Amino acid sequence: MMKIIKLKSVLIYIGCIFVIKASFAPLDSLTGLKLLEAGLTKDSLVTLSALLIPLQILLPLIITKYTNSQFPLITYVSGVLPRILGALLITLLVFYAFSASEFGAMFYIAGLIIQILYSAAATMMFVSQMMFNARVSDVKMGGTYMTLLNTMINLSGTLPQTLSLLAVDRLTTSTCVGSDTVTSCYMDKETCTASGGTCSTETDGFFVLVTIGMCCALSGNGNSQKCT
């Protein structure tokens, strides 16, 4: 396994995948939490997620017909730009949620359509990635080679999500308005509210992380095309 990881081609491949996965990690891990913070109920969020389950089952079956090519990584890279577009639309949806006084039917319809587009691009990338892993894995090592690649790629997605959850509050700038004793809301929102003040967000860490992620995704897309 260590010999496989040390291969130059494997390191380049994992590095390219890591950049792309890390770019979308803030959006994937924080969107639901930000919508709840904006006032969307848990029931509504669960309902939207439930509506996507049949689609998530069918999408791989549909997309496989179009991703089964000799060059799966080219298909993978071609899904980056549509996914970036979907990410931008989701970000705008979250921004609108914070300014909306109530969530009407159009909000949920738009959210569902945007999430379908985003899921389609993400599924196309996932299926292409799995096809490439299966194609390049050495048959002499059985499933060890493919499992190693999948594990490294999964870590490329889960580790940045954990870091995003850790960084979002630290990148958020908010002040306590109306209180004489508390000035900052960082990790102390309850104290601000208890002292008669309200938290006013000046810079939201979610939008900072998503902006950085999208810039990295655009940069990583160009480098990934070189990798393919």
Side-chain angles (χ1 to χ4, degrees):
M1 290 173 63
M2 292 305 299
K3 289 182 178 179
I4 295 172
I5 293 176
K6 291 179 181 179
L7 291 174
K8 183 179 178 181
S9 57
V10 172
L11 290 174
I12 293 175
Y13 172 58
I14 294 175
C16 292
I17 298 296
F18 177 82
V19 171
I20 294 177
K21 280 188 168 290
S23 301
F24 294 103
L27 189 82
D28 294 337
S29 59
L30 298 172
T31 298
L33 297 175
K34 298 305 293 186
L35 288 175
L36 291 175
E37 183 182 335
L40 193 70
T41 63
K42 291 182 180 180
D43 292 342
S44 300
L45 192 61
V46 170
T47 301
L48 286 174
S49 300
L51 291 174
L52 290 172
I53 291 176
L55 182 68
Q56 291 171 348
I57 296 174
L58 293 174
L59 270 177
L61 300 175
I62 299 173
I63 293 177
T64 300
K65 298 179 180 179
Y66 303 98
T67 57
N68 189 15
S69 63
Q70 291 184 336
F71 307 101
L73 277 189
I74 294 179
T75 306
Y76 181 90
V77 173
S78 65
V80 174
L81 289 180
R83 193 173 178 182
I84 291 176
L85 177 60
L88 292 175
L89 293 175
I90 292 175
T91 305
L92 291 175
L93 191 72
V94 174
F95 182 80
Y96 171 79
F98 276 95
S99 60
S101 56
E102 61 180 13
F103 303 104
M106 290 303 298
F107 176 85
Y108 295 104
I109 294 174
L112 184 61
I113 293 174
I114 292 172
Q115 190 60 44
I116 289 174
L117 295 175
Y118 183 81
S119 297
T123 303
M124 181 176 71
M125 294 174 66
F126 175 77
V127 173
S128 301
Q129 164 196 301
M130 294 297 292
M131 284 186 173
F132 180 79
N133 292 348
R135 184 164 295 178
V136 299
S137 297
D138 193 337
V139 294
K140 296 179 182 179
M141 301 179 187
T144 303
Y145 204 119
M146 185 172 180
T147 302
L148 178 62
L149 291 178
N150 289 336
T151 300
M152 298 301 295
I153 290 172
N154 287 336
L155 286 175
S156 300
T158 54
L159 182 59
Q161 287 184 7
T162 303
L163 295 176
S164 297
L165 292 170
L166 182 66
V168 63
D169 283 336
R170 288 167 171 76
L171 293 175
T172 299
T173 305
S174 57
T175 56
C176 186
V177 181
S179 174
D180 297 328
T181 58
V182 182
T183 57
S184 176
C185 287
Y186 174 66
M187 304 295 288
D188 204 16
K189 295 181 180 179
E190 292 78 8
T191 305
C192 174
T193 305
S195 62
T198 56
C199 289
S200 176
T201 302
E202 298 172 357
T203 304
D204 196 320
F206 169 78
F207 298 107
V208 175
L209 287 173
V210 170
T211 301
I212 294 173
M214 293 305 98
C215 293
C216 291
L218 288 171
S219 175
N221 183 46
N223 292 329
S224 296
Q225 289 179 350
K226 295 178 182 179
C227 291
T228 57

